[in-house]
């Protein structure tokens, strides 16, 4: 693909009018081996996507993918694939990750894809099953390599790379400088592009405030805090799955618009939790540290530490969900009487929740769930037309549409959800009977 074609796709499909300095630096680099150091939220995916797409060629018969991108989490794999797919128009991109039905993935590999985005374990599984051959792949991206090491994926990545006999172009990305380079790839002559200190530090745009809880059990204090915060996306971090469930249940009983995210949920449940945070249905998300990295979450105004973060890294990554790019952020640390602040936690002031909040966190959106998706040949345009023609909704009332493999969701005004559901009862989309429900 030509650079002009790539930039046009980025503009049309992602609304990005021009690359930022870091992205331009990566695109202009002549080296075949690149180490990119740049903070979370700075646009690393677009940075490596541009040169990757520029090297793609239309081949008559592929035996190996032209490019492989390895990322440490399912959520990040999905996010990267969603960015890459519209940019590399005319080339096949597949995402491989645990929790995704293996038969569907095997079927998607029957015709060799040009680009594979995968978690290390799932990609190695396919290699060992002989459902994918990487021996002639020339491009490799190791995204969020620091996180991959932290999660123990070194050996899996080494075993994968050992099978890539024609590897030529390598990009390694990390949010932080690395203490050691991978021992399975020669990066001795790699060009280091370091933007880790070239943007305004998120801390300088983040207000960190201590909130004193009335008792050891912080639930009531959390409720009071959330009711006092200005309207906007808010993530409440806890340390355990059980705590996440307990906090979520409490907030739901308080009729607060909350969602839930942790590793005990299945993949679709986690994806939908993020989608409903982004589309405004549940602007409060209760999450374990699983939600602190690798997720495409839009404009988080506030981060609340219900539990003190267990490590300095956890503190940094949780707070990194807010004050992204050039935005300002607010961090609240809920402290009970007997808790001691760790040394790495630096606060600016104390915050006392105010019951007189003129602009509380609210949800004026509802999410409609359709039980058909990409595998049933349903597109965003199909959903838009279906809701307009058969649901009686104006285009301006239809919010964000997300189409997944076997379902689709769409945000609509909460006041119109019931009438839309009634109008869509028993309706068909592209000749297929579809069940439309309110996703709670």
């Amino acid at each position: 693909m030509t650079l002009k074609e790539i930039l046009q796709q980025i503009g049309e499909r992602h609304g990005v009018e021009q690359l930022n300095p870091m992205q331009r630096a990566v695109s202009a680099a002549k080296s075949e081996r690149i180490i990119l150091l740049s903070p979370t939220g700075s646009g690393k995916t677009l940075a490596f996507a541009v040169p990757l797409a520029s090297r793609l060629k239309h081949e008559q018969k592929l035996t190996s993918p032209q490019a492989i991108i390895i990322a440490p989490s399912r959520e990040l794999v999905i996010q990267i694939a969603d960015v890459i797919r519209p940019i590399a128009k005319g080339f096949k991109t597949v995402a491989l990750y645990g929790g995704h039905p293996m038969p569907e993935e095997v079927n998607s590999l029957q015709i060799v894809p040009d680009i594979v985005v995968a978690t290390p374990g799932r990609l190695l599984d396919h290699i060992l099953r002989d459902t994918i051959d990487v021996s002639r792949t020339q491009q490799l991206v190791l995204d969020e390599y620091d996180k991959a090491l932290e999660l123990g994926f070194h050996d899996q990545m080494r075993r994968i790379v050992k099978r890539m006999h024609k590897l030529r172009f390598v990009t390694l990305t990390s949010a932080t400088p690395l203490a050691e380079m991978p021992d399975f790839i020669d990066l001795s002559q790699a060009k280091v592009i370091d933007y880790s200190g070239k943007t305004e530090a998120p801390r300088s745009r983040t207000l960190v405030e201590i909130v004193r809880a009335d008792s050891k059990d912080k639930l009531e204090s959390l409720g009071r805090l959330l009711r006092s915060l200005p309207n906007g996306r808010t993530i409440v971090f806890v340390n355990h799955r059980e705590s996440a469930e307990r906090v979520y249940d409490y907030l739901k009983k308080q009729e607060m618009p909350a969602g839930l995210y942790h590793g005990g949920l299945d993949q679709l449940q986690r994806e939908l939790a993020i989608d409903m945070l982004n589309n405004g249905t549940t602007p409060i998300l209760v999450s374990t540290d699983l939600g602190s990295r690798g997720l495409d979450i839009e404009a988080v105004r506030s981060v609340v530490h219900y539990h003190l973060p267990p490590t300095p890294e956890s503190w940094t990554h949780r707070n990194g969900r807010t004050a992204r790019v050039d935005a300002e952020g607010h961090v609240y640390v809920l402290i009970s009487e007997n808790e001691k602040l760790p040394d790495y936690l630096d606060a600016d002031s104390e915050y006392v929740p105010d019951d007189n909040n003129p602009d509380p966190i609210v949800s004026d959106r509802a999410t409609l769930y359709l039980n058909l998706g990409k595998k049933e040949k349903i597109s965003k345009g199909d959903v838009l037309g279906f809701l307009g023609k058969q649901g009686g909704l104006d285009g301006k009332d239809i919010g964000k549409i997300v189409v997944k493999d076997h379902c689709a969701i769409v945000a609509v005004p909460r006041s119109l959800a019931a009438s839309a559901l009634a109008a869509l009862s028993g309706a068909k989309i592209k000749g297929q009977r579809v069940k439309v429900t309110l996703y709670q």
Side-chain angles (χ1 to χ4, degrees), residues 98-114:
H100 202 213
M102 179 60 80
E104 287 189 6
E105 291 190 352
V106 171
N107 185 59
S108 72
L109 295 170
Q110 293 298 312
I111 298 176
V112 178
D114 297 281

Side-chain angles (χ1 to χ4, degrees), residues 268-288:
L268 181 59
Q269 288 175 312
R270 294 204 300 273
E271 289 178 20
L272 290 174
I274 300 303
D275 292 331
M276 292 175 69
L277 174 66
N278 283 332
N279 73 19
T281 299
T282 51
I284 299 171
L285 182 70
V286 182
S287 176
T288 60

Side-chain angles (χ1 to χ4, degrees), residues 20 22 38-44 79 144 175 320-321 324-326:
N20 65 32
M22 178 269 290
S38 191
T40 299
S42 58
K44 290 194 291 292
Q79 178 184 333
E144 299 275 12
R321 298 272 36 137
R324 294 168 74 85
V325 191
D326 296 321

Side-chain angles (χ1 to χ4, degrees), residues 202-362:
R203 180 64 181 92
S204 68
R205 305 190 307 274
T206 304
L207 180 64
V208 179
E209 298 189 280
I210 301 299
V211 182
R212 303 289 176 181
D214 297 333
S215 63
K216 186 176 180 180
D217 189 340
K218 304 176 183 178
L219 283 175
E220 290 186 6
S221 296
L222 174 64
R224 190 159 52 251
L225 169 62
L226 292 174
R227 281 189 289 270
S228 77
L229 297 184
N231 197 18
R233 293 185 186 89
T234 299
I235 303 180
V236 179
F237 281 108
V238 300
N239 289 349
H240 311 287
R241 294 179 185 178
E242 296 78 10
S243 301
E245 296 278 356
R246 181 168 177 263
V247 171
Y248 169 75
D249 288 342
Y250 173 80
L251 295 181
K252 295 297 285 185
K253 288 177 182 176
Q254 296 296 306
E255 297 185 346
M256 291 188 180
L260 179 65
Y261 189 91
H262 63 66
L265 303 173
D266 66 37
Q267 180 66 23
L268 181 59
Q269 288 175 312
R270 294 204 300 273
E271 289 178 20
L272 290 174
I274 300 303
D275 292 331
M276 292 175 69
L277 174 66
N278 283 332
N279 73 19
T281 299
T282 51
I284 299 171
L285 182 70
V286 182
S287 176
T288 60
D289 277 344
L290 184 66
S292 66
R293 295 184 70 177
L295 296 175
D296 186 15
I297 300 176
E298 303 167 4
V300 174
R301 185 201 177 277
S302 304
V303 164
V304 176
H305 297 270
Y306 181 80
H307 288 145
L308 288 172
T311 65
E313 292 76 19
S314 174
W315 168 252
T316 299
H317 292 308
R318 287 181 182 184
N319 294 347
R321 298 272 36 137
T322 189
R324 294 168 74 85
V325 191
D326 296 321
E328 294 184 352
H330 299 259
V331 172
Y332 303 91
V333 185
L334 202 56
I335 297 291
S336 62
E337 184 177 346
N338 297 323
E339 285 185 304
K340 182 181 178 182
L341 293 178
D343 294 337
Y344 55 80
L345 195 156
D346 56 329
D348 298 308
S349 59
E350 289 201 9
Y351 177 80
V352 179
D354 185 355
D355 292 334
N356 298 314
N357 184 0
D359 184 31
I361 301 173
V362 295

